């Protein structure tokens, strides 16, 4: 795991010494009297004790430098997943933090039993999926994965999916469309300085005309948002409003104002959220309808950081310096 050209750390010398002390070649040249054997055992133990902390810290350093394996699930959506998945993958890989694989389900209205990815091979699973229910076996495996500490990222229309899957709706916190209503839980709004639950009846899920809009950070100390500006302009997108759901263990990280002039709700609506589910971490981004929304520094950084946080509970990806409250910034690699 050492970088080519850099000198091996002291731990490597100690480990080599320890291996030599324990090797048959060394033993062959040791006088066979009892005192020397005891001394040799003593030195081996000493070398092991001295080397242990170095070896441990060495392997920790290697772990933190290792890339995080994540999985994107696509295959059915009322959105153009064939176009958005490659850009999502590109954005994640650009951070240098992830290895990204894609699992594509069978098409709609077909047998879903062949779709059974090994979720536990990944630190986070990102759903670019809005389609048929999976097999009961795969749904159970996904709940067990997140409940057991896996990361889950709900991306844009993934929060439209699975209206009848109780655990899924608990994981995403709030969702929309597919006959969601007051039976599914409250609306969640930012109102007069705080997040409120609005139990009033009505449909779940709506958006006005697509347009660029600003994201307002509501949890500036959360690792995903730390160091980002309080307001960031986001590229032309659908501004999801009127989402509703159980909203348990949900934290709203950022909102956007759904301007009635663009046929929005007139409310400050949740855009980025986290949900604690069992031992798992969920990051929910409503953003990213299509390429104009994805090719945007605000989408890129919040997605990269959200995925890293869901996968590890920490964020190491630095904040870009060029985010703007007033204009959409397109990173060079997405032009
Ligand atoms: Zn959309």
């Amino acid at each position: 795991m050492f970088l080519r050209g850099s000198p091996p750390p002291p731990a490597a010398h100690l480990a080599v010494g320890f291996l030599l002390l324990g090797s048959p070649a060394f033993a062959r040249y040791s006088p066979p009297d009892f005192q020397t054997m005891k001394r040799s055992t003593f030195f081996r133990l000493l070398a092991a004790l001295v080397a242990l902390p170095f070896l441990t810290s060495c392997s920790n350093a290697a772990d933190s430098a290792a890339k995080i394996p994540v999985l994107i699930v696509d295959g059915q959506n009322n959105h153009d997943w064939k176009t958005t998945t490659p850009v999502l993958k590109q954005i994640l890989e650009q951070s240098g933090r992830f290895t990204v694989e894609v699992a594509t389900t069978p098409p709609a209205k077909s047998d879903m039993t062949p779709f059974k990815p090994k979720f536990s091979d990944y630190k986070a699973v990102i759903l670019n999926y809005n389609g048929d229910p999976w097999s009961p076996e795969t749904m159970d495996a996904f709940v067990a994965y997140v409940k057991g500490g896996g990361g889950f990222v709900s991306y844009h229309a993934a929060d439209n999916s699975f209206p009848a899957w109780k655990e899924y709706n608990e994981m995403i916190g709030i969702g929309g469309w597919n006959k969601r209503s007051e039976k599914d839980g409250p609306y969640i709004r930012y109102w007069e300085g705080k997040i409120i639950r609005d139990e009033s009846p009505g449909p779940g899920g709506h958006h006005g005309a697509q347009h660029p809009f600003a994201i307002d950070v509501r949890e500036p100390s959360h690792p995903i948002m730390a160091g980002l500006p309080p307001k960031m302009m986001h590229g032309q997108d659908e501004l999801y409003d009127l989402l509703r759901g159980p909203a348990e263990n949900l934290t709203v990280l950022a909102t956007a104002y759904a301007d009635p002039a663009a046929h929005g709700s007139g409310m400050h609506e949740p855009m980025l959220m986290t949900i604690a589910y069992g031992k798992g971490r969920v990051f929910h981004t409503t953003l990213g309808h299509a390429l104009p929304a994805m090719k945007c520094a605000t989408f890129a950084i919040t997605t990269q950081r959200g995925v890293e946080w869901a996968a590890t509970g920490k964020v190491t990806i630095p904040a870009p310096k060029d985010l703007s409250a007033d204009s959409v910034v397109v990173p060079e690699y997405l032009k």
Side-chain angles (χ1 to χ4, degrees), residues 79 156 238 240 289:
H79 291 67
H156 193 60
E238 292 169 344
Y240 274 10
H289 169 74

Side-chain angles (χ1 to χ4, degrees), residues 78-79 156-157 160 207 210 237-238 240 286 288-290:
N78 59 332
H79 291 67
H156 193 60
N160 303 187
H207 61 77
Q210 290 184 40
D237 204 346
E238 292 169 344
Y240 274 10
T286 63
H289 169 74

Side-chain angles (χ1 to χ4, degrees), residues 70-321:
V70 300
L71 179 73
I72 299 173
V73 172
D74 64 13
Q76 295 181 32
N77 210 316
N78 59 332
H79 291 67
D80 186 0
W81 57 270
K82 288 183 184 170
T83 304
T84 53
T85 288
V87 178
L88 200 52
K89 188 169 187 281
Q90 182 192 10
I91 287 170
L92 294 176
E93 287 173 344
Q94 177 69 23
S95 73
R97 280 296 273 149
F98 308 103
T99 55
V100 185
E101 289 179 35
V102 179
T104 300
T105 68
K109 297 186 172 62
S110 58
D111 178 15
M112 292 296 278
T113 50
F115 176 68
K116 41 181 176 185
K118 198 171 170 209
F119 296 119
S120 58
D121 281 351
Y122 307 93
K123 301 289 271 182
V125 176
I126 302 133
L127 256 62
N128 182 11
Y129 183 88
N130 176 18
D132 291 348
W134 302 336
S135 71
E137 180 193 347
T138 299
M139 287 162 74
D140 288 349
F142 188 65
V143 172
Y145 164 77
V146 181
K147 209 171 250 180
F152 165 37
V153 175
S154 174
Y155 154 63
H156 193 60
D159 70 10
N160 303 187
S161 203
F162 305 119
W165 183 2
K166 179 174 176 285
E167 290 89 348
Y168 185 82
N169 284 281
E170 289 167 359
M171 285 188 246
I172 61 173
I174 51 177
W177 295 273
N178 289 312
K179 300 185 179 159
R180 283 175 172 88
S181 71
E182 62 274 14
K183 73 180 177 348
D184 298 285
Y187 298 116
I188 298 295
R189 271 93 186 242
Y190 179 82
W191 183 258
E192 295 182 342
K194 57 180 189 239
I195 303 295
I196 58 157
R197 298 166 74 92
D198 178 350
E199 308 277 354
S200 56
H206 168 265
H207 61 77
Q210 290 184 40
H211 62 295
F213 52 85
I215 306 287
D216 296 301
V217 175
R218 302 301 181 190
E219 288 286 340
S221 61
H222 190 281
I224 297 171
M225 309 315 292
L228 299 180
K231 190 182 271 292
M232 297 174 280
M233 187 53 79
H234 171 57
Q236 176 186 308
D237 204 346
E238 292 169 344
L239 196 167
Y240 274 10
D241 59 26
L242 305 179
L243 299 179
R244 61 191 315 162
E248 291 155 9
N249 308 312
L250 178 141
T251 303
V252 176
L253 302 181
T255 60
Y257 179 61
D259 194 338
H263 311 291
S265 64
M267 299 283 175
H268 291 273
E269 299 280 356
M271 296 288 111
L272 307 174
M273 292 155 267
T274 62
I275 300 96
Y277 185 78
K279 292 179 187 161
R281 288 172 297 272
V282 182
F283 173 65
H284 180 165
T285 177
T286 63
L287 308 176
H289 169 74
L291 300 194
M294 301 178 83
K295 296 192 170 191
C296 152
T298 300
F299 178 80
I301 188 62
T302 54
T303 302
Q304 290 169 338
R305 286 176 147 214
V307 172
E308 188 184 24
W309 179 84
T312 68
K314 295 182 184 132
V315 171
T316 63
I317 299 167
K321 304 241 184 297

